[in-house]
Amino acid sequence: MYDVIIIGGGPAGLSAGIYTSRLGGKTLLLEKLTPGGQITLSSEIENYPGICDVKSGVELMACWPNQAKKFGCEIKSEEAKELKIENGKFRIITSNNEYKAKAVIVATGSTPKKAGFEGEDKFIGRGVSYCAVCDGFFYKDKVVAVIGGGDTALEEALYLSQIAKKVYLIHRRDKFRAAPITQKKVFENEKIEIIYNAIVKKAYGNKFLEGIILLQKNKEIDLKVDGVFVFVGMKVNNELIKDLVELNEYGEVKVNLKMETSLKGLYAAGDIREDSVKQVVAAAGDGATAGINAMKLIQKEEE
Ligand code: FAD
Ligand code: NAP
């Protein structure tokens, strides 16, 4: 029986593991891939406090697993497949094993959906981005394209227009689904040029992205851009707990300020929770909050 099992080894999960194990909790962290989380996809991060030079996501996350292990946190490369409750305790089933815990912290994150054009994967972190707050600054006075027609695409296009020289907003239809007030701001913004009824067919370049080929009514358009921001929806990784806890309308887990979900002993931290600002520093803070509160609950129950 573990005190705490953490599912997900991104910034939220690893930070939770550092706190629970350092507080003396017998902790197991399950990560289906290599620990580090989605920031390891980014070639540059410069907004995590305490780092004065730009680092890659891999560099930033390199010592987090060791820091957790130093305090006794066990880290296993296994995917949590099922989460069950039995007599007030949690049972987690992976492909090979079953584990039990008094408290569980779910930190499985969310995954930006891909648009699906040729070269999208090749240029991730080298011109293709899924996060304007993270990467926008690298395109200061440059030309960028934003893909999507929802609230996120339009809000991020407005944000990028404050940094970039020009923003092309590319939407596959001729009507946006974003809120009317946001649409109005976009229409009034001189730096944003809207291209309707177009999809990105292909991204090209050498080491870094140099442009994209659009397909508009069977016509190909070559657009020279320095960056492409893809905002075509997010997939919240809530499969394990979606039937156990309250979610908001977007499938994000509802939590209180202690990162407690609607189910006692079950915590959610990082990108998976509602109103997350989806940043490494925030995810790490959530993990610490969840870890401390999970340990407090266990101690209270044992007294
Ligand atoms: P994640 O980092 O998504 O970690 C979740 C982990 O859970 C993953 O490792 C996943 O493999 C694992 N997992 C999922 N399901 C299971 C399961 N069933 N069993 C076991 N493991 C599971 N933020 C910034 O602050 N600054 C930036 O500059 C920045 N740049 C970014 C650039 C890119 C390209 C991307 C994609 C994101 C960027 N972000 C940036 C956002 C940042 O990466 C996220 O906010 C942060 O990683 C969220 O942390 P998390 O721990 O909640 O989730
Ligand atoms: P979304 O509303 O699902 O919009 C995704 C957009 O991407 C749609 O316009 C869609 O086109 C387009 N798209 C999907 N797949 C595509 C592909 N393969 N290629 C090109 N375009 C593609 O996603 P979101 O904008 O991330 O918003 C998610 C939810 O959060 C929404 O409910 C939104 O209202 C909410 N949200 C709210 C706020 C706010 O209230 N301020 C801010 C952000 C998000 P179609 O229109 O043709 O389907």
Side-chain angles (χ1 to χ4, degrees):
M1 173 75 71
Y2 287 92
D3 287 319
V4 182
I5 292 182
I6 299 158
I7 308 174
L14 288 167
S15 160
I18 291 167
Y19 274 79
T20 54
S21 52
R22 191 166 180 272
L23 286 166
K26 186 171 156 57
T27 304
L28 170 66
L29 185 150
L30 298 171
E31 167 55 56
K32 67 176 178 179
L33 306 169
T34 311
Q38 59 175 289
I39 191 61
T40 57
L41 291 176
S42 174
S43 61
E44 292 176 306
I45 173 160
E46 63 177 1
N47 55 7
Y48 189 79
I51 54 167
C52 292
D53 300 317
V54 179
K55 288 189 175 214
S56 69
V58 170
E59 278 176 302
L60 177 74
M61 298 310 297
C63 85
W64 295 39
N66 290 338
Q67 195 180 357
K69 283 184 198 163
K70 188 175 89 180
F71 300 118
C73 178
E74 283 176 56
I75 299 182
K76 294 194 180 183
S77 296
E78 288 178 45
E79 178 173 357
K81 300 264 191 199
E82 258 183 274
L83 173 59
K84 293 183 173 174
I85 324 260
E86 279 171 8
N87 307 321
K89 304 282 183 265
F90 296 91
R91 190 154 69 96
I92 290 168
I93 298 152
T94 70
S95 310
N96 319 318
N97 290 303
E98 281 196 22
Y99 303 101
K100 285 186 181 163
K102 297 172 192 165
V104 169
I105 300 172
V106 179
T108 45
S110 64
T111 315
K113 288 184 190 162
K114 293 186 178 173
F117 54 85
E118 192 185 326
E120 186 171 2
D121 285 341
K122 180 181 167 193
F123 290 107
I124 288 178
R126 288 183 289 135
V128 171
S129 170
Y130 301 86
C131 178
V133 176
C134 317
D135 299 330
F137 188 74
F138 301 118
Y139 299 94
K140 192 164 166 45
D141 299 325
K142 295 191 174 172
V143 179
V144 298
V146 168
I147 306 173
D151 280 304
T152 308
L154 270 68
E155 286 182 8
E156 300 309 298
L158 287 165
Y159 171 80
L160 287 165
S161 73
Q162 297 165 38
I163 303 166
K165 186 165 69 184
K166 181 168 182 81
V167 179
Y168 290 105
L169 178 57
I170 298 158
H171 184 34
R172 64 183 178 183
R173 292 188 294 133
D174 63 355
K175 281 195 179 53
F176 292 122
R177 59 173 71 227
I181 188 165
T182 313
Q183 294 193 35
K184 185 167 179 284
K185 285 185 198 160
V186 165
F187 297 147
E188 287 169 356
N189 190 308
E190 287 178 355
K191 278 195 182 173
I192 301 176
E193 181 177 330
I194 301 167
I195 303 179
Y196 291 113
N197 298 313
I199 56 158
V200 179
K201 185 183 168 199
K202 177 181 171 182
Y204 63 86
N206 287 313
K207 196 168 174 221
F208 290 93
L209 181 101
E210 288 165 21
I212 48 181
I213 306 288
L214 304 183
L215 201 56
Q216 191 186 45
K217 294 179 182 162
N218 297 324
K219 188 180 77 182
E220 286 197 356
I221 303 170
D222 185 348
L223 211 58
K224 299 268 180 277
V225 292
D226 302 294
V228 176
F229 288 82
V230 181
F231 300 114
V232 298
M234 294 291 293
K235 183 189 156 290
V236 183
N237 300 326
N238 63 12
E239 293 81 2
L240 284 171
I241 55 171
K242 66 180 188 319
D243 298 327
L244 297 176
V245 298
E246 281 179 31
L247 307 175
N248 69 11
E249 59 193 303
Y250 311 127
E252 297 159 341
V253 183
K254 288 191 174 191
V255 289
N256 62 17
L257 291 175
K258 293 180 178 175
M259 299 301 138
E260 290 170 334
T261 67
S262 53
L263 184 68
K264 192 175 175 195
L266 186 58
Y267 296 76
D271 278 14
I272 190 176
R273 67 127 163 131
E274 70 174 339
D275 289 335
S276 162
V277 291
K278 297 190 171 55
Q279 293 289 286
V280 174
V281 64
D286 281 3
T289 306
I292 291 169
N293 285 307
M295 289 305 295
K296 275 188 185 166
L297 178 76
I298 292 167
Q299 278 152 13
K300 204 168 134 197
E301 302 262 298
E302 284 172 359
E303 272 166 21

